[in-house]
Amino acid sequence: MPSSYNVRSRARERNSVLSRPEFMSLNHQPVRSNGGGGGGSAGGGGGPSESRGSARRPGQVKHQTSQPSEEPADSGSKDKREPGKMPEEDCMLLNPSFKGIAINSLLAIDICLSKRMGVCAYTSSPWGGCRSMVALLALTGHGITWIIGTIVCLTRSNTLAGQEVLVNLLLALLLDVMTVAGVQRLVKRRGPWEMTPGFLDCVAMDIYSFPAAHASRAAMVSKFLLSHLVLAVPLRILLVLWAFLVGVSRVLLGRHHLTDMVCGFALGLLHFSLMESVWLSSSTCQTLISISTLSWSPFF
């Protein structure tokens, strides 16, 4: 009888993983054929090669199936990496510079203060009862009002000096209206309150918020009159106060921001300086008046 040790060793060999046909090539042992006799020799001759083929085939199949599976895994890892990588613009937005933070903070403060100052924006506003008076004050700085008033005064003026001042003032007003309208078209900034522009605003092309056209015009006109008219000190103070109140009135009506008003004042002073540098002489003004009244006779 065989010993118990041999029985146990054979049982271990049978249960061992390396005794399987697909792993026989790794163990370098011939495959045990289950067939008998002559068939066993033939099976024994073809057994190792078949077992090697069978041992290689699962590995090849595994390798072949693992290749396409690796590609989706790679693509999945790429998909997982891509959300992690953010575009450069988003990174710039998430990590703005100190300058960008300062500008955005100032704009937020400007919008907040402008909305709080718009106490006459609607009739239901806190100061809605004063809306008509504030609107009348703003009308004194309107471009159409000043252009029509200047033309009327020019037709009634009989002195050459007065006509010279009025013609240059008319050209300054036209320059102010066209420049402000062009800048507003470029910037296209809306006011702090959503309002449709009025008829006179559409005529004067004062549709957008930046810069404030009334503030620009008031600053330019007040500086012009202070430079070319002899006025007493109280009148000078009242003229400066009028220009300031005209700019503030548009903020109270909810038409402009505070920065729009400040930039409007600066633009008006710039228009005055530009007009002073290209000041038209009295003879040139008389020629323009003659052309406009169709009484120009250069040959006679």
Side-chain angles (χ1 to χ4, degrees):
M1 290 180 64
S3 63
S4 62
Y5 177 76
N6 295 332
V7 173
R8 290 177 183 175
S9 63
R10 288 176 184 175
R12 287 175 185 174
E13 288 180 0
R14 290 173 185 173
N15 297 329
S16 178
V17 178
L18 297 176
S19 63
R20 294 182 181 178
E22 56 267 23
F23 295 106
M24 291 300 292
S25 61
L26 299 176
N27 200 20
H28 301 286
Q29 293 180 1
V31 180
R32 295 177 183 178
S33 59
N34 295 329
S41 62
S49 61
E50 289 177 1
S51 64
R52 289 175 186 172
S54 63
R56 290 176 186 172
R57 283 171 192 165
Q60 292 175 357
V61 172
K62 271 188 181 179
H63 183 66
Q64 291 175 359
T65 55
S66 64
Q67 283 181 352
S69 64
E70 286 175 359
E71 292 178 358
D74 293 338
S75 62
S77 62
K78 288 180 183 178
D79 294 338
K80 291 179 181 178
R81 291 174 187 173
E82 285 177 0
K85 294 181 180 178
M86 302 189 71
E88 189 175 353
E89 299 127 359
D90 295 340
C91 295
M92 292 295 290
L93 291 175
L94 292 174
N95 299 311
S97 61
F98 176 77
K99 182 179 178 182
I101 294 174
I103 292 175
N104 291 332
S105 301
L106 290 176
L107 288 176
I109 294 171
D110 176 37
I111 294 172
C112 181
L113 291 178
S114 301
K115 285 193 173 184
R116 288 187 178 183
M117 288 186 65
V119 292
C120 300
Y122 302 99
T123 54
S124 59
S125 299
W127 290 9
C130 302
R131 177 178 169 79
S132 58
M133 296 178 60
V134 177
L136 182 62
L137 176 62
L139 185 62
T140 60
H142 204 281
I144 301 299
T145 305
W146 274 97
I147 290 174
I148 293 176
T150 304
I151 292 174
V152 171
C153 293
L154 185 60
T155 57
R156 294 178 178 273
S157 178
N158 296 323
T159 61
L160 296 178
Q163 292 177 355
E164 179 184 352
V165 172
L166 290 172
V167 168
N168 283 278
L169 177 59
L170 180 61
L171 294 177
L173 290 170
L174 293 176
L175 174 66
D176 181 81
V177 170
M178 299 303 294
T179 305
V180 171
V183 176
Q184 286 185 355
R185 289 286 183 179
L186 289 176
V187 179
K188 293 185 178 180
R189 187 187 188 187
R190 298 290 181 180
W193 300 93
E194 292 294 333
M195 293 182 177
T196 55
F199 174 74
L200 291 179
D201 293 334
C202 294
V203 173
M205 296 176 288
D206 186 10
I207 300 174
Y208 296 100
S209 177
F210 182 88
H214 288 68
S216 174
R217 199 165 301 112
M220 188 270 297
V221 169
S222 61
K223 184 65 175 175
F224 190 95
L225 296 179
L226 289 173
S227 300
H228 297 283
L229 295 180
V230 180
L231 300 173
V233 176
L235 291 178
R236 288 176 174 269
I237 295 174
L238 287 176
L239 192 58
V240 174
L241 184 60
W242 165 80
F244 176 75
L245 291 177
V246 167
V248 173
S249 66
R250 296 290 287 180
V251 179
L252 296 178
L253 292 172
R255 296 286 185 177
H256 297 286
H257 300 86
L258 287 173
T259 51
D260 303 335
M261 180 187 68
V262 174
C263 292
F265 285 144
L267 188 60
L269 296 177
L270 179 63
H271 289 158
F272 169 77
S273 301
L274 181 62
M275 200 63 213
E276 287 292 316
S277 62
V278 294
W279 184 267
L280 300 181
S281 62
S282 179
S283 59
T284 306
C285 293
Q286 291 301 317
T287 304
L288 292 176
I289 293 173
S290 301
I291 293 174
S292 61
T293 56
L294 300 178
S295 60
W296 185 44
S297 55
F299 300 106
F300 302 99

